[in-house]
Amino acid sequence: MTLLIKKLSEPKTILSIGILYAVLITIILLIPSSEIPQIKVTFIDKIAHVLIHGLLSLIWLWYCYSADKCHISVKNVFVVLLICFFYGVIIEAAQHWFTQTRSFDIFDIVANVFGSLLGLLSYWIFRKIFQ
């Protein structure tokens, strides 16, 4: 178990996880909405955006932390959050331009920002717990 945790904590492994996760959510967010199972929960779309972007920013902050030898600068945090923000805007624009069943939604971008901030909060909490 300790070997698995050590392997998962290596920057190369976290980088691979981050890239695979970004590719996966890009594919999921660009497939036609008619092919996604419908869940009858109020604001499920916004909740999904918060969770997706929360995990996205958490993974990339975790990568910066591991790559910087267990510390992370304010600049790195800002860059990660900025990249996550622009990624969300680009995905919304791509949904509008390249799909017929999805559209650009400013409230999805707001949910993405909240998700990224939730990812930052989670990063700080987990870092304190596991230090």
Side-chain angles (χ1 to χ4, degrees):
M1 184 64 151
T2 323
L3 185 60
L4 176 64
I5 292 171
K6 185 175 180 180
K7 181 69 176 166
L8 287 174
S9 299
E10 292 177 2
K12 254 173 63 173
T13 304
I14 301 168
L15 178 63
S16 298
I17 291 169
I19 291 169
L20 287 172
Y21 182 70
V23 169
L24 176 69
I25 62 176
T26 300
I27 291 167
I28 290 170
L29 291 172
L30 291 177
I31 62 173
S33 60
S34 58
E35 295 182 25
I36 298 173
Q38 300 299 312
I39 301 172
K40 304 290 183 195
V41 176
T42 307
F43 301 115
I44 190 67
D45 176 48
K46 304 310 175 240
I47 294 167
H49 278 269
V50 168
L51 295 175
I52 287 168
H53 270 72
L55 186 55
L56 181 69
S57 64
L58 177 62
I59 290 169
W60 289 109
L61 289 166
W62 178 27
Y63 169 72
C64 288
Y65 177 77
S66 68
D68 284 347
K69 306 294 186 246
C70 299
H71 75 281
I72 188 169
S73 67
V74 172
K75 178 185 172 190
N76 286 348
V77 170
F78 181 74
V79 167
V80 167
L81 294 180
L82 196 63
I83 289 171
C84 288
F85 171 76
F86 282 114
Y87 171 78
V89 171
I90 290 167
I91 287 295
E92 285 301 310
Q95 286 178 339
H96 175 73
W97 292 327
F98 302 120
T99 70
Q100 293 182 353
T101 59
R102 294 177 178 252
S103 61
F104 187 92
D105 185 351
I106 193 72
F107 294 111
D108 285 349
I109 294 172
V110 172
N112 295 345
V113 170
F114 278 115
S116 291
L117 294 174
L118 180 65
L120 175 61
L121 178 65
S122 300
Y123 161 76
W124 276 330
I125 291 169
F126 290 140
R127 193 182 80 190
K128 294 292 183 193
I129 291 172
F130 295 111
Q131 269 187 337

